[in-house]
Every structure is written in C-alpha cells, then in structure tokens.
Amino acid sequence: MSPAPSLTSQETLTLSEADILHILANAQSSDLGLALFGSPTAFICFADAPLIVRQAALKAHALLGDLVQLCDGEDDDVQIQAAITALSAFGGIIMFSIGRGYIGNSIVVTKDYITFFMQGIDASEIKLQNNANVDMFKATSLRRYTRFIGLSLDGNRANQTSNVNGFNLEYFSSVLFEHVYTTGCKFYGWYMPGGANRAEAIVGLNLAGYDNGASDYFIDGEDISLFQARGTVSPYSFDIGANAIKVGLFNPISDGGPTFLTTRGI
C-alpha cells in the first residue's frame, strides 16, 4: 500500500463519514471536481485541487485505501499507478480531480476494462516533468477495452531529450478516445504502430493535437478510426504508415499547411 497522504494542519477539516460519502456520491460541479459512477472507481486528487476536494479525498483514503490517492505535484505517476493496482482484476474507472498532475515515469495500463476520466481539457491536465523522457501512457503487454475520456496531456517537449509520445498504443486493442487533447509531446501525441504488437481497433472522437514534435498522430496499426480529429502542423498533423490497413474515416481540421505526410501511403 502506498504511504498515507497528508494535509497541513491549516488544511485539515473534520468531516464525518456521512459528509465524505455525500461529497463523493453527489458532488459533480467543477468547483468540487468529484463524481461517482456505478462501477469500481478510484479517485486521483491533484495537489492543486480545491481545498474541500483534498479534505474529502484524505478522509476517503482512510475509508477506501489506495482507491483514493492524494498527489503532491511531483512524481504523481506513483499515486496513479497505485490506484490502477487497487482496482479489481476486471478494471474500473480512474477519476481525476480538477487541477494538474506531474509525472516522471510512464503510467502503465496493467489491466483491461479501465476508463480514465478527467474533468475536461480546461479543468484537468497531466504534464511530463523535466527530463522524464518517457511515454506518458503505455502498456507492456496486451491491453483491451481501455477508454480515455476528457484527458489533456502536456508532453513538455522543450525539456525532454528523447523522442517520447503522449499515448504509446503499442499492445492496445479496442480503445476509445473521446474529447482528448495532446500538446507539446517530443515525438507524437498519439503513436499507433504496426508490427507484431500493433495498435488495433482504435476509435477517436473529437480529438485535438497541438504542437507535438514529429506529428500529432502516427498511424500504422489496424482498424484505426478518427472522427473530428484536429491537428496543427508540427510539421504534419497525420503521419500515415504504409502498413496501416483498414484505416477508418478521417475528418482532419488543420490550421493550415500540409495535413498529411505525403511521403507515406495508406
């Protein structure tokens, strides 16, 4: 079990178990940044979340253990990874508070049927720390039925020395992205390779990539469908590999300049 989170004495507020359960079950406004779903749910509280959210999360951690994590604004991947581990073998939901988290290592998806749910790109963000030089989300073995909803990633590429990605989708199959944003990744916002461990059956709805180093989207996997995928030229929005087969419908919206890397084929 990860170390118990703490608040300073100035932040501590006495809340009853009934108070905590009420906040977790009913608060869904952006000023609280909390919601509860009818499936196994873990909650990640960022260091700059509103005070009442941190207070509630501290109490909830005492009740629920590693399903509720308080981040300290440095190496928050430790808390996020602990929450993933705490989910059941059948996955569940990882819910993020409003605010910003900072990661120094990859968030590794180790279970199927996990949904990562953020408050939206104007409310929540995960940023890569200086000189981390790692993909922000990845898997190391086959992972299926993963969903990313409302996430915003900042790859902090000015302070990385290796070509790393926002989402490295090697080993992923049957994945849904919805309202997801990547910016400033050193290499690609979304990396969907071909080959033996290819990305396959990836669906994206209302995606946006901005100022990612090589391209916003690298697509060389199988059964890739992006709908309303917006990219800004960096230098290309979409890099379509020659091995990409059964590529679905694209509706690219670019800010000008070349949208597709024309030296590679579909």
Side-chain angles (χ1 to χ4, degrees):
M1 179 176 291
S2 65
S6 62
L7 294 173
T8 66
S9 59
Q10 290 82 7
E11 292 177 306
T12 303
L13 176 69
T14 301
L15 295 173
S16 69
E17 293 185 8
D19 292 331
I20 300 303
L21 293 175
H22 174 77
I23 292 174
L24 289 174
N26 298 304
Q28 299 186 37
S29 61
S30 60
D31 60 326
L32 293 177
L34 284 170
L36 192 69
F37 298 88
S39 22
T41 304
F43 181 72
I44 307 296
C45 182
F46 290 138
D48 59 347
L51 176 58
I52 192 171
V53 177
R54 289 175 52 78
Q55 294 166 338
L58 180 64
K59 274 282 192 176
H61 179 85
L63 296 172
L64 302 172
D66 279 354
L67 284 172
V68 178
Q69 296 285 332
L70 270 78
C71 298
D72 61 9
E74 184 176 350
D75 294 327
D76 295 333
D77 49 278
V78 174
Q79 285 77 33
I80 298 170
Q81 205 66 56
I84 293 172
T85 300
L87 291 176
S88 76
F90 302 102
I93 296 169
I94 303 288
M95 178 78 184
F96 296 89
S97 76
I98 61 175
R100 175 183 282 175
Y102 296 86
I103 62 172
N105 286 288
S106 299
I107 298 167
V108 182
V109 181
T110 57
K111 297 175 180 176
D112 298 338
Y113 298 101
I114 292 181
T115 296
F116 295 91
F117 189 96
M118 266 191 176
Q119 301 291 323
I121 64 174
D122 293 326
S124 304
E125 181 182 71
I126 296 176
K127 185 172 183 176
L128 196 60
Q129 292 172 194
N130 292 353
N131 299 310
N133 294 308
V134 295
D135 295 327
M136 298 183 73
F137 278 85
K138 72 175 187 179
T140 57
S141 60
L142 178 62
R143 295 274 67 92
R144 300 172 300 167
Y145 312 115
T146 308
R147 296 190 299 170
F148 299 92
I149 300 175
L151 270 68
S152 177
L153 303 186
D154 182 346
N156 188 19
R157 70 173 181 159
N159 295 298
Q160 311 300 319
T161 57
S162 299
N163 286 331
V164 292
N165 309 287
F167 295 98
N168 182 344
L169 297 178
E170 186 178 17
Y171 294 105
F172 280 92
S173 177
S174 301
V175 179
L176 172 66
F177 289 90
E178 187 171 356
H179 299 288
V180 176
Y181 175 70
T182 66
T183 186
C185 297
K186 185 73 171 179
F187 209 31
Y188 298 105
W190 284 264
Y191 177 66
M192 296 171 260
N197 301 315
R198 65 183 176 270
E200 60 182 13
I202 311 295
V203 175
L205 306 173
N206 296 316
L207 309 182
Y210 176 73
D211 195 33
N212 295 299
S215 180
D216 294 318
Y217 310 84
F218 174 84
I219 303 163
D220 203 21
E222 182 173 336
D223 292 316
I224 311 295
S225 300
L226 304 183
F227 300 87
Q228 290 292 346
R230 179 181 178 86
T232 59
V233 180
S234 55
Y236 302 95
S237 295
F238 299 90
D239 185 348
I240 311 294
N243 295 321
I245 55 178
K246 301 180 181 177
V247 176
L249 174 66
F250 293 84
N251 188 2
I253 307 172
S254 178
D255 286 346
T259 300
F260 292 93
L261 177 51
T262 56
T263 58
R264 301 170 69 89
I266 296 178

